[in-house]
């Protein structure tokens, strides 16, 4: 399409077009920052926020301490009970020898020293150790799940942070364009070739844009507070403007079947439920071992005056007669296994449903983003340029120009919003996977 303009109005239109930003670009250009500055400016990159949260977030540290505490239970769970020592003073009144009361081992009738050690039923120690190990694994995996949830929330907040910054930048550029439109309308009104209503409508549009910018600045401040809260920082702590605008992952990497397999294999919440199931199974083995007796062995030297006069050996066995209570404990253990299995299946179903929902939304955002970037934005840009040229030549009215700038603004905001939504959907998928794509 070729537009031919003549006369002074043509020069004014060309100046206006030269000063207006190009809306066919995907995103506003941001100056490249040195690597050291990017690392130092918290908020400029998502990686910096994630690294800060992993280091200092109190909830994550609490989960790590709990996982460490659970790991310390493994050794004691499989250890033997403490041995027992007993000292028995016989004939402390020394009646047999015609003496007096005494508590010294060498001055009583005799003193019996006994050392005893109890050995649990066969396999019980191993079962307790394995149950403790499964519990420690579950605690560690709960920590991973907590981090995956926290990382998702940070990624979502950062996507909103990028959206708010880009939207604010876009709105300010549109405001500058409206200012230029107002100047053109004022010039045409002064030359008697346009009504005063054009200048008034431009002023109304400018006021509307200024109000929207105020709301966007408020939204940006609220998002900053949200991010600071996720980083355990003061609400008013400053954050640098985002400097990166990474592309969305290719659709080829979003294969549904492959992602479902990865969720079932690597999701930390599902792995924690599996560890809970293993712990329940090993606890069942511990309960089953209570059917068998415990054994206690002991040795007892007997001291008479200042010498060991005899040795005794002792053997003790528990008699598991309370079968009713043991059967109840066994049924409880079986019920806990069934509950853990059902909980694992429910978690898997819920995670796969969430994956399907987020995957469909992400693919839809991909399509909208591509359509807007490759088709809608160039068309809206051409429409605006044609409307500006037509207004200068008197072929279209000012309402057509305003409508054209609103269309390109709406297209640009749609692109920003769609990208932010896609990033938030991607953050949800990465939470489900327990890793980044």
């Amino acid at each position: 399409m070729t537009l031919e303009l003549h006369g002074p109005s043509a020069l004014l239109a060309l100046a206006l077009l030269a000063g207006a930003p190009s809306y066919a670009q995907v995103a506003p250009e941001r100056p490249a920052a040195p690597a050291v500055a990017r690392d130092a400016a918290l908020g400029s990159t998502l990686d910096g926020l994630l690294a800060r949260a992993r280091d200092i977030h109190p909830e994550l540290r609490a989960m790590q301490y709990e996982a460490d505490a659970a790991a310390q239970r493994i050794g004691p769970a499989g250890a033997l009970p403490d041995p027992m020592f007993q000292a028995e003073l016989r004939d402390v009144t020394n009646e047999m020898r015609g003496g007096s009361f005494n508590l010294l081992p060498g001055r009583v009738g005799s003193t019996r020293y006994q050392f005893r050690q109890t050995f649990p039923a066969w396999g019980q120690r191993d079962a307790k150790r394995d149950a403790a190990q499964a519990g420690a694994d579950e605690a560690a995996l709960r920590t991973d799940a907590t981090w995956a949830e926290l990382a998702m929330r940070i990624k979502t907040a950062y996507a909103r942070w990028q959206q708010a910054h880009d939207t604010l930048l876009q709105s300010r550029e549109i405001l500058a364009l409206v200012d230029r439109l107002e100047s053109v309308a004022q010039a045409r009104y002064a030359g008697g070739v346009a009504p005063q209503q054009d200048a008034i409508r431009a002023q109304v549009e400018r006021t509307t844009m200024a109000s929207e910018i105020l709301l966007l600045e408020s939204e940006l401040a609220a998002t900053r507070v949200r991010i600071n809260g996720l980083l355990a920082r003061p609400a008013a702590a400053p954050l640098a403007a985002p400097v990166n605008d990474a592309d969305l992952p290719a659709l080829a990497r979003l294969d549904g079947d492959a992602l479902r397999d990865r969720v079932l294999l690597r999701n930390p919440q599902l792995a924690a439920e599996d560890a809970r199931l293993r712990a329940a199974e090993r606890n069942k083995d511990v309960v089953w071992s209570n059917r068998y007796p415990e054994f206690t062995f002991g040795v007892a030297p007997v001291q008479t005056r200042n010498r060991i006069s005899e040795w005794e050996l002792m053997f003790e066995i528990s008699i598991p007669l309370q079968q009713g209570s043991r059967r109840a404990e066994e049924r409880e253990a079986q019920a806990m296994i069934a509950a853990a299995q059902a909980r694992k299946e429910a978690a898997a179903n819920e995670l796969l449903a969430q994956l399907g929902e987020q995957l469909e939304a992400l693919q839809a955002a991909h399509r909208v983003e591509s359509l807007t970037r490759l088709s809608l934005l160039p068309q809206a840009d051409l429409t605006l340029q044609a409307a500006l040229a037509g207004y200068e030549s008197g072929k279209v009215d000012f309402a057509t120009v305003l409508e054209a700038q609103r269309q390109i603004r709406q297209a640009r905001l749609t692109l920003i919003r769609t990208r932010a939504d896609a990033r938030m959907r991607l953050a949800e998928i990465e939470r489900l996977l327990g890793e980044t794509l």
Side-chain angles (χ1 to χ4, degrees):
M1 177 177 62
T2 302
L3 298 176
E4 296 183 1
L5 303 177
H6 304 279
S9 61
L11 297 177
L12 186 57
L14 290 175
L16 180 61
L17 290 174
S22 176
Y23 295 97
Q25 296 178 352
V26 175
E29 292 292 334
R30 296 190 180 93
V36 175
R38 289 200 301 270
D39 293 338
L42 189 63
S44 60
T45 64
L46 176 60
D47 290 341
L49 297 181
L50 294 175
R52 176 66 177 267
R54 185 179 280 276
D55 289 339
I56 69 170
H57 197 276
E59 182 181 1
L60 185 62
R61 287 191 290 114
M63 295 295 294
Q64 291 170 341
Y65 287 134
E66 290 179 359
D68 182 64
Q72 303 308 313
R73 303 187 189 111
I74 299 175
L80 285 171
D82 288 334
M84 298 294 295
F85 169 75
Q86 179 183 7
E88 180 182 348
L89 301 178
R90 299 173 176 176
D91 192 18
V92 295
T93 59
N94 285 302
E95 292 183 1
M96 300 294 294
R97 293 179 173 80
S100 61
F101 178 84
N102 203 307
L103 293 178
L104 295 177
R107 295 180 180 274
V108 298
S110 64
T111 302
R112 180 174 179 268
Y113 304 98
Q114 184 184 68
F115 300 89
R116 290 181 297 164
Q117 177 65 60
T118 299
F119 295 89
W122 182 263
Q124 188 177 90
R125 292 168 57 200
D126 291 338
K128 287 183 176 180
R129 185 185 298 110
D130 291 345
Q133 179 65 63
D137 293 343
E138 180 187 355
L141 290 166
R142 294 291 180 194
T143 301
D144 293 342
T146 299
W147 168 245
E149 177 70 22
L150 176 61
M152 181 275 295
R153 291 158 59 191
I154 292 174
K155 292 173 184 177
T156 299
Y158 190 75
R160 296 191 182 280
W161 180 247
Q162 289 180 302
Q163 179 185 4
H165 268 281
D166 289 344
T167 303
L168 186 59
L169 179 61
Q170 171 68 20
S171 297
R172 286 171 176 167
E173 291 178 352
I174 291 293
L175 180 61
L177 174 61
V178 172
D179 287 341
R180 296 189 188 100
L181 289 177
E182 181 182 0
S183 299
V184 172
Q186 291 282 7
R188 285 176 59 80
Y189 170 66
V193 294
Q196 186 181 15
Q197 184 182 6
D198 289 357
I200 296 175
R201 294 185 67 176
Q203 293 173 354
V204 171
E205 188 72 12
R206 187 187 188 286
T207 303
T208 302
M209 288 300 306
S211 299
E212 291 186 8
I213 288 175
L214 291 176
L215 293 176
L216 288 171
E217 290 174 344
S218 176
E219 180 181 349
L220 192 67
T223 306
R224 183 184 68 246
V225 171
R226 174 64 175 164
I227 294 177
N228 283 331
L230 292 172
L231 300 182
R233 302 175 73 220
L239 284 176
V243 297
N244 65 332
D245 192 16
D247 293 333
L248 301 178
L251 287 176
R253 298 170 57 190
L254 303 176
D255 179 68
D257 293 336
L259 291 178
R260 280 188 285 272
D261 291 340
R262 290 171 65 178
V263 166
L264 294 176
L265 182 63
R266 302 180 184 179
N267 179 264
Q269 179 186 350
L270 199 58
E273 295 297 343
D274 184 68
R276 178 184 291 189
L277 176 59
R278 288 190 284 111
E281 291 172 344
R282 299 308 286 163
N283 282 326
K284 184 263 295 181
D285 294 339
V286 174
V287 172
W288 246 252
S289 68
N290 291 332
R291 292 183 173 190
Y292 307 103
E294 293 183 346
F295 300 91
T296 302
F297 298 92
V299 59
V302 179
Q303 176 185 353
T304 303
R305 295 304 175 179
N306 294 325
R307 66 185 180 86
I308 301 299
S309 59
E310 56 183 302
W311 288 84
E312 299 176 354
L313 294 177
M314 185 271 293
F315 171 73
E316 182 180 292
I317 183 172
S318 65
I319 303 176
L321 291 180
Q322 303 298 327
Q323 295 301 313
S325 62
R326 285 179 173 79
R327 296 299 179 269
E329 291 174 351
E330 291 170 4
R331 290 192 295 270
E332 177 190 1
Q334 289 283 20
M336 292 301 295
I337 292 176
Q341 181 66 46
R343 191 177 291 109
K344 178 183 175 182
E345 293 175 0
N349 291 334
E350 176 64 22
L351 291 172
L352 291 179
Q354 292 179 17
L355 176 65
E357 177 184 353
Q358 299 300 332
L359 189 57
E360 287 293 333
L362 179 57
Q363 291 173 341
H366 254 284
R367 292 189 291 268
V368 173
E369 190 267 352
S370 179
L371 180 64
T372 303
R373 174 170 51 87
L374 300 177
S375 180
L376 184 58
L377 271 176
Q379 293 170 358
D381 184 58
L382 289 176
T383 300
L384 177 61
Q385 294 182 34
L388 289 171
Y391 180 66
E392 290 298 328
S393 63
K395 295 180 180 179
V396 299
D397 57 10
F398 191 70
T400 302
V401 178
L402 287 181
E403 181 61 25
Q405 74 86 16
R406 288 170 183 168
Q407 288 178 0
I408 197 170
R409 177 174 179 270
Q410 186 61 40
R412 186 67 182 92
L413 295 182
T414 297
L415 182 62
I416 295 173
R417 183 173 59 252
T418 302
R419 285 194 159 189
D421 182 68
R423 290 190 181 96
M424 289 185 281
R425 301 292 186 177
L426 179 62
E428 288 281 358
I429 292 176
E430 290 176 341
R431 176 186 67 85
L432 296 173
L433 294 177
E435 59 186 7
T436 58
L437 280 171

